[in-house]
Amino acid sequence: MARSDRQRRIRRAGVDACPGVGGNRWRTIILVTAAVLIGSAVLDIGVPVSTAHPGSVPARMKESAGTLVVDGHDYDQPTGCLTVRKVPRRIQVTNNTDQPVRVYLLPGCKGGVTNVVEPGGSATPLGASVQV
């Protein structure tokens, strides 16, 4: 049984109105891709540590007296950020300095602080970098 012209027009109008079908499909793919790229670029913008944690970073970083031991490696008088891993994992941190050590989730002291090891303390936090 053949369809009438009216049924064909209704069917065609319904298909053309559906997003992601026909010519609209590539437009939808391009728009979604652009939205993902823009969203990831916005999320990748870093906030300086001094802005994120007012007062937590001194104007001039002073050297810490003592040794920081991370996974068996000694760092004498460490200052600033030390990247110890490319990817986060449990690291053994022994703080033999006179200042607290912040352990960050990602390399470059990014991704948030996972633990603070006080002077004379030790911990096994998840992280990839440390800051004295």
XYZ file of all heavy atoms in Angstrom, residues 18-72:
382
model
N 14.103 17.132 13.620
C 14.889 16.464 14.666
C 16.323 16.976 14.647
O 16.976 16.960 13.613
C 14.913 14.952 14.452
S 13.313 14.196 14.704
N 16.855 17.434 15.787
C 18.250 17.870 15.818
C 19.187 16.687 15.650
O 18.921 15.597 16.125
C 18.393 18.499 17.205
C 17.304 17.903 18.027
C 16.197 17.558 17.070
N 20.295 16.932 14.987
C 21.293 15.891 14.811
C 21.019 14.980 13.635
O 21.714 14.010 13.433
N 20.019 15.266 12.830
C 19.692 14.440 11.682
C 19.854 15.281 10.432
O 19.471 16.441 10.395
C 18.237 13.904 11.776
C 17.896 13.097 10.546
C 18.074 13.088 13.025
N 20.428 14.698 9.399
C 20.582 15.413 8.142
C 21.638 16.496 8.245
O 22.693 16.312 8.810
N 21.336 17.697 7.706
C 22.270 18.814 7.702
C 22.548 19.363 9.089
O 23.590 19.953 9.330
N 21.621 19.191 9.999
C 21.810 19.699 11.357
C 22.823 18.879 12.148
O 23.334 19.344 13.162
C 20.484 19.709 12.120
C 19.523 20.737 11.579
O 19.944 21.704 10.949
N 18.243 20.526 11.806
N 23.115 17.679 11.708
C 24.007 16.804 12.460
C 25.406 17.391 12.582
O 25.975 17.445 13.663
C 24.064 15.438 11.798
C 24.941 14.475 12.537
C 24.891 13.116 11.934
N 25.634 12.191 12.782
C 25.991 11.010 12.406
N 25.651 10.565 11.221
N 26.668 10.231 13.211
N 25.985 17.860 11.477
C 27.332 18.422 11.525
C 27.365 19.715 12.323
O 28.320 19.983 13.049
C 27.885 18.632 10.115
C 28.221 17.322 9.491
C 27.560 16.695 8.482
C 29.281 16.448 9.877
N 28.133 15.488 8.211
C 29.210 15.308 9.060
C 30.278 16.498 10.839
C 30.096 14.254 9.165
C 31.170 15.455 10.939
C 31.074 14.342 10.113
N 26.323 20.495 12.212
C 26.255 21.728 12.992
C 26.239 21.395 14.485
O 26.927 22.023 15.274
C 25.015 22.544 12.609
C 24.975 23.889 13.337
C 23.811 24.712 12.922
N 22.598 24.004 13.335
C 21.380 24.372 13.042
N 21.179 25.422 12.288
N 20.340 23.703 13.464
N 25.492 20.378 14.869
C 25.424 19.967 16.264
C 26.787 19.468 16.741
O 27.247 19.820 17.831
C 24.370 18.858 16.439
O 23.113 19.339 15.984
C 24.264 18.435 17.890
N 27.453 18.672 15.929
C 28.774 18.152 16.296
C 29.771 19.293 16.476
O 30.531 19.325 17.449
C 29.276 17.136 15.245
C 28.427 15.859 15.300
C 30.748 16.816 15.442
C 28.691 14.896 14.172
N 29.757 20.245 15.560
C 30.683 21.379 15.639
C 30.390 22.224 16.873
O 31.305 22.634 17.589
C 30.621 22.222 14.349
C 31.238 21.409 13.195
C 31.347 23.545 14.524
C 31.034 22.027 11.838
N 29.129 22.486 17.165
C 28.773 23.292 18.329
C 29.153 22.596 19.636
O 29.660 23.229 20.563
C 27.284 23.620 18.316
C 26.835 24.625 17.253
C 25.323 24.769 17.263
C 27.496 25.964 17.467
N 28.915 21.299 19.712
C 29.280 20.560 20.925
C 30.799 20.550 21.098
O 31.319 20.763 22.200
C 28.711 19.125 20.881
C 29.304 18.266 21.983
C 27.200 19.159 20.989
N 31.538 20.326 20.026
C 32.999 20.330 20.092
C 33.516 21.696 20.533
O 34.400 21.793 21.387
C 33.607 19.951 18.727
O 33.093 18.678 18.332
C 35.121 19.902 18.798
N 32.971 22.760 19.967
C 33.381 24.107 20.350
C 33.074 24.371 21.816
O 33.892 24.959 22.537
C 32.686 25.139 19.463
N 31.914 23.937 22.291
C 31.550 24.137 23.694
C 32.500 23.398 24.620
O 32.917 23.918 25.666
C 30.112 23.688 23.929
N 32.889 22.186 24.252
C 33.822 21.407 25.079
C 35.187 22.084 25.113
O 35.810 22.202 26.168
C 33.933 19.958 24.551
C 35.098 19.228 25.179
C 32.637 19.213 24.793
N 35.676 22.553 23.961
C 36.977 23.214 23.918
C 36.975 24.507 24.723
O 37.912 24.788 25.469
C 37.373 23.491 22.472
C 37.708 22.258 21.631
C 37.954 22.646 20.185
C 38.901 21.537 22.202
N 35.932 25.300 24.584
C 35.840 26.550 25.340
C 35.726 26.254 26.828
O 36.378 26.890 27.650
C 34.652 27.399 24.842
C 34.951 27.922 23.439
C 34.360 28.551 25.797
C 33.773 28.563 22.759
N 34.933 25.257 27.191
C 34.785 24.892 28.599
C 36.087 24.416 29.210
O 36.440 24.790 30.327
N 36.840 23.613 28.481
C 38.114 23.133 29.020
C 39.124 24.262 29.120
O 39.933 24.294 30.045
C 38.665 21.995 28.172
O 38.992 22.452 26.883
N 39.076 25.225 28.203
C 39.983 26.368 28.280
C 39.657 27.234 29.486
O 40.548 27.720 30.179
C 39.898 27.196 26.998
N 38.376 27.420 29.770
C 37.973 28.213 30.921
C 38.385 27.526 32.215
O 38.881 28.165 33.142
C 36.447 28.461 30.895
C 35.959 29.026 32.211
C 36.088 29.394 29.750
N 38.228 26.216 32.297
C 38.593 25.488 33.505
C 40.094 25.405 33.701
O 40.567 25.215 34.812
C 37.999 24.077 33.472
C 36.480 24.012 33.576
C 36.017 22.573 33.425
C 35.997 24.576 34.898
N 40.870 25.552 32.626
C 42.321 25.428 32.704
C 42.996 26.713 33.177
O 44.168 26.719 33.485
C 42.878 25.018 31.338
C 44.295 24.508 31.426
O 44.637 23.899 32.459
O 45.058 24.717 30.471
N 42.242 27.805 33.254
C 42.826 29.066 33.703
C 43.151 28.933 35.179
O 42.294 28.641 35.996
C 41.859 30.241 33.463
C 41.648 30.440 31.965
C 42.385 31.512 34.114
C 40.600 31.456 31.633
N 44.394 29.128 35.524
C 44.826 28.969 36.902
C 44.649 30.240 37.711
O 44.671 31.345 37.185
N 44.466 30.090 38.993
C 44.401 31.217 39.906
C 45.705 31.212 40.685
O 46.090 30.191 41.238
C 43.198 31.067 40.872
C 43.169 32.209 41.872
C 41.910 31.003 40.088
N 46.418 32.338 40.723
C 47.667 32.361 41.480
C 47.437 31.947 42.924
O 46.410 32.253 43.508
C 48.113 33.818 41.395
C 47.365 34.395 40.244
C 46.102 33.606 40.116
N 48.431 31.267 43.494
C 48.297 30.786 44.864
C 48.061 31.938 45.818
O 47.274 31.851 46.734
C 49.551 29.976 45.271
C 49.503 29.605 46.737
C 49.659 28.737 44.421
N 48.725 33.080 45.588
C 48.571 34.213 46.490
C 47.145 34.746 46.466
O 46.657 35.272 47.458
C 49.550 35.323 46.127
O 49.332 35.742 44.801
N 46.434 34.617 45.339
C 45.047 35.055 45.251
C 44.119 34.017 45.875
O 43.153 34.350 46.544
C 44.642 35.266 43.779
O 45.551 36.189 43.202
C 43.241 35.794 43.674
N 44.433 32.738 45.644
C 43.566 31.681 46.148
C 43.639 31.549 47.661
O 42.661 31.227 48.311
C 43.944 30.347 45.504
N 44.804 31.777 48.230
C 45.008 31.626 49.673
C 45.671 32.884 50.214
O 46.876 32.907 50.420
C 45.902 30.411 49.972
C 45.445 29.161 49.301
N 44.324 28.481 49.689
C 45.943 28.480 48.244
C 44.171 27.420 48.916
N 45.129 27.408 48.028
N 44.922 33.961 50.424
C 45.544 35.193 50.897
C 46.284 34.965 52.202
O 45.776 34.339 53.120
C 44.367 36.139 51.098
C 43.200 35.497 50.446
C 43.493 34.050 50.289
N 47.480 35.471 52.257
C 48.268 35.380 53.476
C 49.011 34.073 53.652
O 49.812 33.938 54.560
N 48.756 33.074 52.790
C 49.430 31.787 52.980
C 50.819 31.765 52.361
O 51.627 30.931 52.707
C 48.588 30.651 52.398
O 48.496 30.793 51.012
N 51.082 32.671 51.413
C 52.396 32.723 50.781
C 53.030 34.057 51.138
O 52.487 35.109 50.838
C 52.276 32.593 49.242
C 53.632 32.717 48.591
C 51.629 31.282 48.882
N 54.191 34.043 51.800
C 54.824 35.295 52.171
C 55.279 36.069 50.945
O 55.500 35.494 49.880
C 56.019 34.851 53.025
C 56.225 33.423 52.725
C 54.926 32.883 52.237
N 55.424 37.384 51.086
C 55.846 38.220 49.963
C 57.203 37.761 49.440
O 57.434 37.734 48.243
C 55.895 39.673 50.400
N 58.110 37.401 50.331
C 59.413 36.893 49.923
C 59.573 35.519 50.554
O 59.511 35.363 51.763
C 60.514 37.821 50.413
C 61.887 37.450 49.907
C 62.909 38.468 50.358
N 63.311 38.278 51.733
C 64.298 37.480 52.132
N 64.952 36.765 51.245
N 64.623 37.369 53.399
N 59.746 34.497 49.712
C 59.866 33.141 50.249
C 61.210 33.000 50.938
O 62.248 33.269 50.339
C 59.727 32.114 49.140
C 58.414 32.132 48.441
S 58.169 30.589 47.611
C 56.856 29.952 48.568
N 61.182 32.576 52.184
C 62.427 32.384 52.913
C 62.819 30.913 52.840
O 61.974 30.024 52.752
C 62.280 32.849 54.350
C 61.159 32.196 55.112
C 61.043 32.778 56.488
C 59.863 32.136 57.199
N 59.701 32.595 58.548
N 64.128 30.693 52.876
C 64.612 29.312 52.856
C 64.229 28.632 54.155
O 64.258 29.227 55.224
C 66.131 29.281 52.709
C 66.609 29.429 51.308
C 68.098 29.112 51.180
O 68.693 28.598 52.141
O 68.638 29.375 50.113
N 63.874 27.388 54.040
C 63.573 26.625 55.243
C 64.846 25.937 55.698
O 65.644 25.473 54.893
C 62.478 25.602 54.957
O 62.913 24.713 53.967
N 65.021 25.921 57.003
C 66.181 25.236 57.561
C 65.823 23.770 57.736
O 64.755 23.431 58.217
C 66.554 25.860 58.902
N 66.716 22.893 57.308
C 66.470 21.476 57.480
C 66.353 20.743 56.161
O 66.696 21.250 55.101
N 65.837 19.534 56.243
C 65.742 18.645 55.087
C 64.314 18.138 54.931
O 63.655 17.806 55.909
C 66.687 17.438 55.275
O 67.995 17.921 55.518
C 66.705 16.558 54.053
N 63.880 18.068 53.690
C 62.587 17.475 53.355
C 62.880 16.155 52.651
O 63.677 16.113 51.708
C 61.792 18.403 52.439
C 60.469 17.875 51.917
C 59.480 17.705 53.066
C 59.903 18.806 50.868
N 62.263 15.082 53.117
C 62.480 13.765 52.514
C 61.175 13.334 51.846
O 60.133 13.230 52.496
C 62.906 12.718 53.570
C 63.166 11.376 52.903
C 64.126 13.191 54.334
N 61.240 13.123 50.516
C 60.070 12.679 49.759
C 60.443 11.401 49.025
O 61.330 11.409 48.168
C 59.596 13.755 48.756
C 58.367 13.279 48.002
C 59.314 15.070 49.459
N 59.784 10.308 49.369
C 60.045 8.994 48.766
C 61.533 8.626 48.801
O 62.088 8.117 47.827
C 59.519 8.938 47.326
C 58.022 8.768 47.271
O 57.425 8.357 48.285
O 57.431 9.056 46.214
N 62.193 8.930 49.914
C 63.586 8.557 50.074
C 64.592 9.536 49.502
O 65.793 9.356 49.655
